[in-house]
Each structure stands twice: as C-alpha cells, then as structure tokens.
Amino acid sequence: MTTGTSGQTHLSSVQIDVLRQELQEQLARRRGHLAGLQEEASEGTGADETWQELSVSIVTADRAVAELTQALDRLAEGGYGRCAECEAAIPFERLKIRPLARYCIACQRRHEAA
C-alpha cells in the first residue's frame, strides 16, 4: 500500500503491526537492560574504569530507549516510515531490518558521506 506524502502511510496495517511489535519488543529489552545497568551502578563504588564503562553503557541504553519511544510515537502519529529529510516512503524491507531508520537510502547515504 503506497500513498503520496500527504501524511497517509505507505505501509499496510499488517506491516504496521509487525513493526510495532518489533519496536515494542526492542523497547522492553532495552528498558530491562537499562534497569539492570542502573541497578549495577547503584551498587558500585564508582572508583575504577568499570564505572566509566558502566556510565557509557547507561547513556547508550538510555539513548536507545528514547529512540525506540520516539519511533513508537511517530508510528502512533502516522509519521513513521517517512524519511525525516525528504519525506519519501521508507520501504517496509528497510524498516524490517532497521526499525529505527529515519532516512531513505539516498538521504542516509548523503548523511554518511557528510
């Protein structure tokens, strides 16, 4: 199902359900991982290199939770699956592999080349 850039989705309801489930599962895993890291940090002394590594892991996990939450928000609002730069439809196959993809292939390549 493909539509223009009028705000309607190019994804079928089945595809949207598949992607929503994948995003929700990833979010649950990441939240669990983040909670474990935070618990580990609260039990630590903060006196060695592992504390610094743990802090980086917490920031990374927190960022992943935020990105997944934003993707689910875009899905609920109807903006998910559209390139953040040119608003072109991002193919389901790309979203299935990279559910957090914010750019179409052409725009992604431009960002990586910059």
Side-chain angles (χ1 to χ4, degrees), residues 2 9 13 15 17-18 22-24 26 33 46-47 51 56 62 68 70 74 79 97:
T2 304
T9 185
S13 60
Q15 290 171 328
D17 288 344
V18 166
E22 176 63 28
L23 289 167
Q24 289 171 335
Q26 282 189 30
H33 181 67
W51 176 255
V56 169
D62 189 51
L68 287 160
Q70 290 168 359
R74 287 192 311 275
I97 293 168

Side-chain angles (χ1 to χ4, degrees), residues 15-31 64-65 67-76 80-81 95-96 98-101:
Q15 290 171 328
I16 289 171
D17 288 344
V18 166
L19 293 166
R20 180 181 295 113
Q21 182 176 351
E22 176 63 28
L23 289 167
Q24 289 171 335
E25 288 172 4
Q26 282 189 30
L27 181 58
R29 282 193 306 271
R30 294 293 185 148
R31 281 182 172 157
V65 166
E67 288 175 3
L68 287 160
T69 301
Q70 290 168 359
L72 283 165
D73 289 345
R74 287 192 311 275
L75 188 64
Y80 180 82
L95 294 169
K96 182 70 175 129
R98 298 188 60 89
L100 295 177

Side-chain angles (χ1 to χ4, degrees), residues 48-103:
D48 57 9
E49 282 184 25
T50 57
W51 176 255
Q52 186 176 11
E53 290 173 14
L54 183 59
S55 295
V56 169
S57 295
I58 288 171
V59 169
T60 301
D62 189 51
R63 186 174 298 136
V65 166
E67 288 175 3
L68 287 160
T69 301
Q70 290 168 359
L72 283 165
D73 289 345
R74 287 192 311 275
L75 188 64
E77 296 165 359
Y80 180 82
R82 293 256 169 228
C83 178
E85 189 167 307
C86 71
E87 296 186 14
I90 300 172
F92 174 71
E93 294 77 17
R94 175 166 167 72
L95 294 169
K96 182 70 175 129
I97 293 168
R98 298 188 60 89
L100 295 177
R102 298 222 35 192
Y103 301 104

